[in-house]
Amino acid sequence: VIIVLKSGVTEADVEAVCRRITEMGYHPHTIRGEFKTVIGAVGEERGQPDLRILEAMETVEAVMPIQQPFKLASKEIRPTPSEVRVNGVVIGGPEVVVMAGPCSVESEPQMIEVAGAVKAAGARILRGGAYKPRTSPYAFQGLKEQGLKFLAEARKRTGLPVVTEVLETESVELVAEYADILQIGARNVQNFTLLRRVGQMGKPVLLKRGMATSLTEFLLSAEYILAAGNPNVILCERGIRTFETSTRFTLDLNAVPVLKKLCHLPVVVDPSHGTGRWDLVTPMAKAAVACGADGLIIEVHPRPEEALSDGPQSLKPSTFAQLMKELRPVVEAVGRTM
Amino acid sequence: MIIIMKAGSSGHDIDEVCRRVTEMGFRTHLSRGEVRTIIGVIGDDRAKEQLFALQSVASVEGVVRVLQPFKLASREAHPDNTRFTVHGVPIGGKQIVVMAGPCSVESRSQLTEVAERVKAAGAQILRGGAFKPRTSPYAFQGLEEEGLALLSDTSKATGLPVVTEVMEPDKVDLVARHADILQIGARNIQNFSLLKRVAECGKPVLLKRGMSTSIQEWLLSAEYVISGGNPNVILCERGIRTFETATRYTLDLNAVPVVKKLSHLPVMVDPSHGTGHWEYVSAMAKAGLAAGADGVIIEVHNKPEEALSDGPQSLKPDRFAKLMDELRPLAQVLGRSL
């Protein structure tokens, strides 16, 4: 951490700040410039007292952290990419893993139909929401446990592992009985109790970035899960809120190479939510793979015009199959497999 | 356009609004719902902006646009892609166009070296700024006319056409004498007198999206150039301002397929400004192509650590050559050539 002192501070002021730094368990290193004095505080910061408190001192102009605040998620701790294994499917390895399925589980026949179709097209994991965090309280809220049962049935028939969202700490155990990957949705990215709870479970977690979550905040949320003892975290970029309204969200693909540089966790991209429009899903899925994503999560519905949620961004099974066909050569061109 | 009346509007209120619409020279089409009445307005689109004034009538809840406000830039008006050539370099066709060069023209030796290297690596157009819009008035402002002369000379020596920025209407003629493509920078996207002036000039225009310009506003800026008599407009996505600070801007690649659907104009991507870090440029250049861009514009400097502007986002010539090698197979699987 670098502590910048105000112009015109006295020698006694500098000493007072240095004393405080020493008391907090760090070593001060003073650099006197022509106009300003800055103090470097040396020592492990994570898990130690937060030096930003020094901004409360009148003589301190600013405290600037130089180290990333996350640890277990960082490349410093683990320089090689981590792989998350789910029933034989490896996320974070050479293979680009496609997760697909409806936004909401609506009925058993719907799930069976979609699961068969996405499997035939090459999807490796089945998605489907049983507990739905809907913006409007009047919108379809999901089939809950009944939906989990339909997901389990679709898994039994197709062999595809299942990813589904868990909304609250009390339902974590129940959802984990049925799901192979627990999804933490964008709205829960800073529900810290829920993060700790899924951290204790040990099941792989698909952590979606919130619509206004910075990448540092996103990685700190991952850190909650890792710190609770669960190393199986998959990050998911799904679009952020910006001024642009011609798409539902702005898919921040910059996040993919940035996350790959900062951390060792697998990164997948959700072009369905990231655009909100089915006709933009295919180009953005290709773009995601081109910039280094380890996988995709895509909404597919047998009849999007009748879907109980997210119909406008859902692909028909035939469009999804076409996407997979177009994706394969792109995957190979960037040196991956599918 | 559609005019939505407030719930409980009387027959008199509705007649009054219809009368005003008729006075403005349009026809009306009434549809009475259970709770609300809406008035469809029929007539020439481009004169309809004045209808927004009706939002000030107490009985009107809203005025909603049905058609896009741009016309000449729209795919409806012009279903085929716009294609043209700049000194033999095709733009908007099957071939991907790569523009590369330094952020600023700094010296003859710098420009010559960079131009030769990017040409050898396969760039078809040379970029370089002579007039620089710098955030700080103390930063290097460009070599101005001397820089233009260096660009001309280098263009002659290498055979690469030149794209360079023009910042003010009274410099358009001067810049056009040296440049093959006039760049309108992000900060001038709504400098309407400049847009009109480059329209009259007739040279192809590279129109960069502003950092807080919606896609609709961007296409309306293009409409200024086209309606001024210049159809050769190239759009360039270069990142928008969001809350995320891990990157300089947020490259909005959603914009590529969105613009491709709305408009017939060629679309390029600038991953240098869109990320602000050289380490992310290659990944995002590939993503740009995969999303459907017709080309990329990339900052290359022989000594980025000594650059007078944008060093952190500039590629060294070797790295640029490597990027070109990676782009080629990708372009091919996307059905393009490079």
Side-chain angles (χ1 to χ4, degrees), chain A residues 48-79:
Chain A
Q48 300 303 316
D50 190 344
L51 287 160
R52 278 178 296 180
I53 188 76
L54 294 176
E55 281 191 355
M57 296 179 83
E58 272 184 28
T59 50
V60 171
E61 180 161 296
V63 176
M64 300 187 295
I66 44 174
Q67 208 176 15
Q68 295 289 359
F70 44 84
K71 189 166 184 174
L72 300 172
S74 79
K75 274 258 173 79
E76 294 159 42
I77 293 293
R78 190 193 157 97

mmCIF file of all heavy atoms in Angstrom, chain A residues 48-79:
data_model
loop_
_atom_site.group_PDB
_atom_site.id
_atom_site.type_symbol
_atom_site.label_atom_id
_atom_site.label_comp_id
_atom_site.label_asym_id
_atom_site.label_seq_id
_atom_site.Cartn_x
_atom_site.Cartn_y
_atom_site.Cartn_z
ATOM 1 N N GLN A 48 -4.870 -8.907 7.242
ATOM 2 C CA GLN A 48 -4.273 -7.981 8.207
ATOM 3 C C GLN A 48 -5.129 -6.710 8.263
ATOM 4 O O GLN A 48 -5.978 -6.499 7.414
ATOM 5 C CB GLN A 48 -2.842 -7.644 7.768
ATOM 6 C CG GLN A 48 -1.904 -8.847 7.671
ATOM 7 C CD GLN A 48 -1.804 -9.606 8.986
ATOM 8 O OE1 GLN A 48 -1.679 -9.028 10.057
ATOM 9 N NE2 GLN A 48 -1.899 -10.935 8.898
ATOM 10 N N PRO A 49 -4.874 -5.850 9.272
ATOM 11 C CA PRO A 49 -5.671 -4.617 9.358
ATOM 12 C C PRO A 49 -5.606 -3.820 8.046
ATOM 13 O O PRO A 49 -4.554 -3.755 7.416
ATOM 14 C CB PRO A 49 -5.010 -3.847 10.503
ATOM 15 C CG PRO A 49 -4.271 -4.861 11.300
ATOM 16 C CD PRO A 49 -3.902 -5.980 10.365
ATOM 17 N N ASP A 50 -6.730 -3.223 7.665
ATOM 18 C CA ASP A 50 -6.849 -2.500 6.401
ATOM 19 C C ASP A 50 -6.265 -1.096 6.543
ATOM 20 O O ASP A 50 -6.768 -0.270 7.308
ATOM 21 C CB ASP A 50 -8.329 -2.438 6.002
ATOM 22 C CG ASP A 50 -8.513 -1.916 4.592
ATOM 23 O OD1 ASP A 50 -7.558 -1.330 4.038
ATOM 24 O OD2 ASP A 50 -9.616 -2.093 4.047
ATOM 25 N N LEU A 51 -5.216 -0.831 5.779
ATOM 26 C CA LEU A 51 -4.515 0.452 5.880
ATOM 27 C C LEU A 51 -5.324 1.634 5.350
ATOM 28 O O LEU A 51 -4.961 2.775 5.579
ATOM 29 C CB LEU A 51 -3.172 0.364 5.146
ATOM 30 C CG LEU A 51 -2.097 -0.465 5.857
ATOM 31 C CD1 LEU A 51 -1.023 -0.886 4.883
ATOM 32 C CD2 LEU A 51 -1.479 0.325 7.012
ATOM 33 N N ARG A 52 -6.409 1.330 4.649
ATOM 34 C CA ARG A 52 -7.205 2.448 4.121
ATOM 35 C C ARG A 52 -7.764 3.332 5.233
ATOM 36 O O ARG A 52 -8.119 4.477 5.012
ATOM 37 C CB ARG A 52 -8.339 1.921 3.225
ATOM 38 C CG ARG A 52 -7.850 1.629 1.816
ATOM 39 C CD ARG A 52 -8.945 1.061 0.959
ATOM 40 N NE ARG A 52 -9.378 -0.227 1.482
ATOM 41 C CZ ARG A 52 -10.334 -0.982 0.930
ATOM 42 N NH1 ARG A 52 -10.953 -0.557 -0.149
ATOM 43 N NH2 ARG A 52 -10.663 -2.140 1.458
ATOM 44 N N ILE A 53 -7.775 2.771 6.465
ATOM 45 C CA ILE A 53 -8.241 3.539 7.622
ATOM 46 C C ILE A 53 -7.392 4.790 7.825
ATOM 47 O O ILE A 53 -7.840 5.787 8.381
ATOM 48 C CB ILE A 53 -8.228 2.626 8.886
ATOM 49 C CG1 ILE A 53 -8.882 3.299 10.094
ATOM 50 C CG2 ILE A 53 -6.804 2.231 9.271
ATOM 51 C CD1 ILE A 53 -10.362 3.329 10.016
ATOM 52 N N LEU A 54 -6.146 4.750 7.307
ATOM 53 C CA LEU A 54 -5.247 5.897 7.484
ATOM 54 C C LEU A 54 -5.762 7.147 6.768
ATOM 55 O O LEU A 54 -5.336 8.255 7.070
ATOM 56 C CB LEU A 54 -3.830 5.554 6.994
ATOM 57 C CG LEU A 54 -3.090 4.477 7.802
ATOM 58 C CD1 LEU A 54 -1.760 4.155 7.157
ATOM 59 C CD2 LEU A 54 -2.883 4.925 9.246
ATOM 60 N N GLU A 55 -6.674 6.974 5.818
ATOM 61 C CA GLU A 55 -7.256 8.150 5.149
ATOM 62 C C GLU A 55 -8.013 9.013 6.156
ATOM 63 O O GLU A 55 -8.336 10.166 5.878
ATOM 64 C CB GLU A 55 -8.184 7.728 3.994
ATOM 65 C CG GLU A 55 -7.399 7.339 2.758
ATOM 66 C CD GLU A 55 -8.248 7.170 1.504
ATOM 67 O OE1 GLU A 55 -9.483 7.254 1.583
ATOM 68 O OE2 GLU A 55 -7.646 6.948 0.433
ATOM 69 N N ALA A 56 -8.301 8.432 7.315
ATOM 70 C CA ALA A 56 -8.972 9.209 8.358
ATOM 71 C C ALA A 56 -8.020 10.215 9.007
ATOM 72 O O ALA A 56 -8.458 11.133 9.689
ATOM 73 C CB ALA A 56 -9.542 8.265 9.419
ATOM 74 N N MET A 57 -6.704 10.051 8.808
ATOM 75 C CA MET A 57 -5.745 11.002 9.399
ATOM 76 C C MET A 57 -5.706 12.274 8.550
ATOM 77 O O MET A 57 -5.689 12.208 7.332
ATOM 78 C CB MET A 57 -4.339 10.372 9.471
ATOM 79 C CG MET A 57 -4.275 9.170 10.397
ATOM 80 S SD MET A 57 -2.610 8.429 10.449
ATOM 81 C CE MET A 57 -1.808 9.497 11.654
ATOM 82 N N GLU A 58 -5.661 13.414 9.229
ATOM 83 C CA GLU A 58 -5.726 14.700 8.514
ATOM 84 C C GLU A 58 -4.545 14.933 7.580
ATOM 85 O O GLU A 58 -4.652 15.654 6.606
ATOM 86 C CB GLU A 58 -5.782 15.835 9.522
ATOM 87 C CG GLU A 58 -7.212 16.150 9.943
ATOM 88 C CD GLU A 58 -7.261 17.338 10.870
ATOM 89 O OE1 GLU A 58 -6.379 18.209 10.780
ATOM 90 O OE2 GLU A 58 -8.198 17.361 11.690
ATOM 91 N N THR A 59 -3.410 14.348 7.906
ATOM 92 C CA THR A 59 -2.206 14.598 7.113
ATOM 93 C C THR A 59 -2.107 13.677 5.898
ATOM 94 O O THR A 59 -1.227 13.852 5.064
ATOM 95 C CB THR A 59 -0.950 14.377 7.986
ATOM 96 O OG1 THR A 59 -1.089 13.105 8.621
ATOM 97 C CG2 THR A 59 -0.816 15.456 9.028
ATOM 98 N N VAL A 60 -3.033 12.694 5.805
ATOM 99 C CA VAL A 60 -2.972 11.723 4.707
ATOM 100 C C VAL A 60 -3.888 12.164 3.573
ATOM 101 O O VAL A 60 -5.063 12.459 3.785
ATOM 102 C CB VAL A 60 -3.358 10.308 5.206
ATOM 103 C CG1 VAL A 60 -3.510 9.342 4.036
ATOM 104 C CG2 VAL A 60 -2.324 9.799 6.192
ATOM 105 N N GLU A 61 -3.315 12.230 2.349
ATOM 106 C CA GLU A 61 -4.137 12.629 1.208
ATOM 107 C C GLU A 61 -4.860 11.419 0.616
ATOM 108 O O GLU A 61 -6.033 11.486 0.295
ATOM 109 C CB GLU A 61 -3.262 13.273 0.137
ATOM 110 C CG GLU A 61 -4.071 13.704 -1.078
ATOM 111 C CD GLU A 61 -3.329 14.726 -1.898
ATOM 112 O OE1 GLU A 61 -3.087 15.830 -1.384
ATOM 113 O OE2 GLU A 61 -2.968 14.406 -3.042
ATOM 114 N N ALA A 62 -4.148 10.312 0.442
ATOM 115 C CA ALA A 62 -4.770 9.136 -0.165
ATOM 116 C C ALA A 62 -4.002 7.880 0.208
ATOM 117 O O ALA A 62 -2.794 7.918 0.446
ATOM 118 C CB ALA A 62 -4.800 9.286 -1.684
ATOM 119 N N VAL A 63 -4.727 6.769 0.249
ATOM 120 C CA VAL A 63 -4.115 5.459 0.467
ATOM 121 C C VAL A 63 -4.394 4.636 -0.784
ATOM 122 O O VAL A 63 -5.559 4.495 -1.183
ATOM 123 C CB VAL A 63 -4.699 4.770 1.718
ATOM 124 C CG1 VAL A 63 -4.131 3.368 1.870
ATOM 125 C CG2 VAL A 63 -4.424 5.602 2.962
ATOM 126 N N MET A 64 -3.346 4.174 -1.438
ATOM 127 C CA MET A 64 -3.540 3.471 -2.709
ATOM 128 C C MET A 64 -3.053 2.030 -2.620
ATOM 129 O O MET A 64 -1.846 1.798 -2.509
ATOM 130 C CB MET A 64 -2.798 4.211 -3.820
ATOM 131 C CG MET A 64 -3.295 5.638 -3.972
ATOM 132 S SD MET A 64 -2.587 6.465 -5.390
ATOM 133 C CE MET A 64 -0.885 6.528 -4.942
ATOM 134 N N PRO A 65 -3.990 1.078 -2.647
ATOM 135 C CA PRO A 65 -3.574 -0.329 -2.600
ATOM 136 C C PRO A 65 -2.852 -0.693 -3.891
ATOM 137 O O PRO A 65 -3.219 -0.221 -4.969
ATOM 138 C CB PRO A 65 -4.902 -1.100 -2.507
ATOM 139 C CG PRO A 65 -5.984 -0.078 -2.375
ATOM 140 C CD PRO A 65 -5.427 1.236 -2.807
ATOM 141 N N ILE A 66 -1.799 -1.481 -3.793
ATOM 142 C CA ILE A 66 -1.142 -1.921 -5.022
ATOM 143 C C ILE A 66 -1.321 -3.416 -5.235
ATOM 144 O O ILE A 66 -1.213 -3.914 -6.338
ATOM 145 C CB ILE A 66 0.360 -1.542 -5.078
ATOM 146 C CG1 ILE A 66 1.037 -1.829 -3.753
ATOM 147 C CG2 ILE A 66 0.538 -0.093 -5.449
ATOM 148 C CD1 ILE A 66 2.525 -1.621 -3.783
ATOM 149 N N GLN A 67 -1.647 -4.136 -4.170
ATOM 150 C CA GLN A 67 -1.839 -5.572 -4.289
ATOM 151 C C GLN A 67 -3.322 -5.840 -4.522
ATOM 152 O O GLN A 67 -4.174 -5.090 -4.043
ATOM 153 C CB GLN A 67 -1.416 -6.214 -2.971
ATOM 154 C CG GLN A 67 -0.935 -7.621 -3.107
ATOM 155 C CD GLN A 67 -0.443 -8.130 -1.749
ATOM 156 O OE1 GLN A 67 -0.714 -7.557 -0.699
ATOM 157 N NE2 GLN A 67 0.276 -9.222 -1.780
ATOM 158 N N GLN A 68 -3.654 -6.899 -5.277
ATOM 159 C CA GLN A 68 -5.052 -7.285 -5.435
ATOM 160 C C GLN A 68 -5.568 -7.788 -4.089
ATOM 161 O O GLN A 68 -4.847 -8.473 -3.367
ATOM 162 C CB GLN A 68 -5.183 -8.403 -6.477
ATOM 163 C CG GLN A 68 -4.790 -7.997 -7.884
ATOM 164 C CD GLN A 68 -5.783 -7.043 -8.520
ATOM 165 O OE1 GLN A 68 -6.794 -6.685 -7.926
ATOM 166 N NE2 GLN A 68 -5.500 -6.616 -9.735
ATOM 167 N N PRO A 69 -6.808 -7.494 -3.748
ATOM 168 C CA PRO A 69 -7.305 -7.872 -2.419
ATOM 169 C C PRO A 69 -7.691 -9.348 -2.301
ATOM 170 O O PRO A 69 -7.914 -9.836 -1.209
ATOM 171 C CB PRO A 69 -8.530 -6.979 -2.238
ATOM 172 C CG PRO A 69 -8.991 -6.660 -3.622
ATOM 173 C CD PRO A 69 -7.763 -6.669 -4.492
ATOM 174 N N PHE A 70 -7.797 -10.058 -3.433
ATOM 175 C CA PHE A 70 -8.144 -11.482 -3.352
ATOM 176 C C PHE A 70 -6.854 -12.295 -3.370
ATOM 177 O O PHE A 70 -5.833 -11.850 -3.879
ATOM 178 C CB PHE A 70 -9.072 -11.895 -4.499
ATOM 179 C CG PHE A 70 -8.644 -11.343 -5.826
ATOM 180 C CD1 PHE A 70 -7.689 -11.994 -6.593
ATOM 181 C CD2 PHE A 70 -9.173 -10.147 -6.289
ATOM 182 C CE1 PHE A 70 -7.274 -11.471 -7.801
ATOM 183 C CE2 PHE A 70 -8.757 -9.615 -7.500
ATOM 184 C CZ PHE A 70 -7.806 -10.276 -8.259
ATOM 185 N N LYS A 71 -6.916 -13.488 -2.798
ATOM 186 C CA LYS A 71 -5.696 -14.256 -2.610
ATOM 187 C C LYS A 71 -5.826 -15.644 -3.237
ATOM 188 O O LYS A 71 -5.115 -15.993 -4.167
ATOM 189 C CB LYS A 71 -5.422 -14.363 -1.117
ATOM 190 C CG LYS A 71 -4.083 -14.945 -0.768
ATOM 191 C CD LYS A 71 -3.802 -14.676 0.691
ATOM 192 C CE LYS A 71 -2.430 -15.158 1.075
ATOM 193 N NZ LYS A 71 -2.109 -14.763 2.449
ATOM 194 N N LEU A 72 -6.791 -16.433 -2.719
ATOM 195 C CA LEU A 72 -6.927 -17.818 -3.182
ATOM 196 C C LEU A 72 -7.312 -17.863 -4.657
ATOM 197 O O LEU A 72 -6.995 -18.822 -5.361
ATOM 198 C CB LEU A 72 -7.976 -18.555 -2.345
ATOM 199 C CG LEU A 72 -7.663 -18.623 -0.849
ATOM 200 C CD1 LEU A 72 -8.839 -19.189 -0.080
ATOM 201 C CD2 LEU A 72 -6.406 -19.468 -0.617
ATOM 202 N N ALA A 73 -8.009 -16.824 -5.144
ATOM 203 C CA ALA A 73 -8.426 -16.791 -6.544
ATOM 204 C C ALA A 73 -7.283 -16.342 -7.451
ATOM 205 O O ALA A 73 -7.353 -16.503 -8.665
ATOM 206 C CB ALA A 73 -9.621 -15.846 -6.713
ATOM 207 N N SER A 74 -6.216 -15.778 -6.839
ATOM 208 C CA SER A 74 -5.210 -15.099 -7.665
ATOM 209 C C SER A 74 -4.199 -16.052 -8.286
ATOM 210 O O SER A 74 -3.983 -17.160 -7.813
ATOM 211 C CB SER A 74 -4.468 -14.058 -6.820
ATOM 212 O OG SER A 74 -3.509 -14.715 -6.024
ATOM 213 N N LYS A 75 -3.576 -15.575 -9.331
ATOM 214 C CA LYS A 75 -2.534 -16.318 -10.034
ATOM 215 C C LYS A 75 -1.273 -16.458 -9.176
ATOM 216 O O LYS A 75 -0.469 -17.348 -9.411
ATOM 217 C CB LYS A 75 -2.168 -15.591 -11.335
ATOM 218 C CG LYS A 75 -3.071 -15.957 -12.508
ATOM 219 C CD LYS A 75 -2.368 -16.943 -13.431
ATOM 220 C CE LYS A 75 -3.264 -17.476 -14.527
ATOM 221 N NZ LYS A 75 -3.435 -16.549 -15.631
ATOM 222 N N GLU A 76 -1.113 -15.541 -8.176
ATOM 223 C CA GLU A 76 0.072 -15.642 -7.309
ATOM 224 C C GLU A 76 0.061 -16.972 -6.554
ATOM 225 O O GLU A 76 1.085 -17.610 -6.382
ATOM 226 C CB GLU A 76 0.082 -14.517 -6.265
ATOM 227 C CG GLU A 76 0.237 -13.129 -6.822
ATOM 228 C CD GLU A 76 -0.272 -12.085 -5.824
ATOM 229 O OE1 GLU A 76 -0.002 -12.219 -4.619
ATOM 230 O OE2 GLU A 76 -0.957 -11.146 -6.265
ATOM 231 N N ILE A 77 -1.118 -17.350 -6.099
ATOM 232 C CA ILE A 77 -1.259 -18.567 -5.304
ATOM 233 C C ILE A 77 -1.189 -19.803 -6.192
ATOM 234 O O ILE A 77 -0.623 -20.825 -5.836
ATOM 235 C CB ILE A 77 -2.623 -18.536 -4.555
ATOM 236 C CG1 ILE A 77 -2.620 -17.426 -3.522
ATOM 237 C CG2 ILE A 77 -2.947 -19.880 -3.921
ATOM 238 C CD1 ILE A 77 -1.663 -17.627 -2.376
ATOM 239 N N ARG A 78 -1.807 -19.697 -7.374
ATOM 240 C CA ARG A 78 -1.847 -20.836 -8.271
ATOM 241 C C ARG A 78 -1.653 -20.331 -9.697
ATOM 242 O O ARG A 78 -2.586 -19.849 -10.326
ATOM 243 C CB ARG A 78 -3.223 -21.530 -8.129
ATOM 244 C CG ARG A 78 -3.282 -22.861 -8.848
ATOM 245 C CD ARG A 78 -4.724 -23.355 -8.970
ATOM 246 N NE ARG A 78 -4.777 -24.281 -10.089
ATOM 247 C CZ ARG A 78 -4.699 -25.605 -9.952
ATOM 248 N NH1 ARG A 78 -4.657 -26.145 -8.777
ATOM 249 N NH2 ARG A 78 -4.702 -26.378 -11.029
ATOM 250 N N PRO A 79 -0.436 -20.428 -10.216
ATOM 251 C CA PRO A 79 -0.161 -19.844 -11.539
ATOM 252 C C PRO A 79 -0.799 -20.614 -12.697
ATOM 253 O O PRO A 79 -0.991 -20.050 -13.771
ATOM 254 C CB PRO A 79 1.364 -19.881 -11.648
ATOM 255 C CG PRO A 79 1.879 -20.469 -10.381
ATOM 256 C CD PRO A 79 0.751 -21.019 -9.594
#
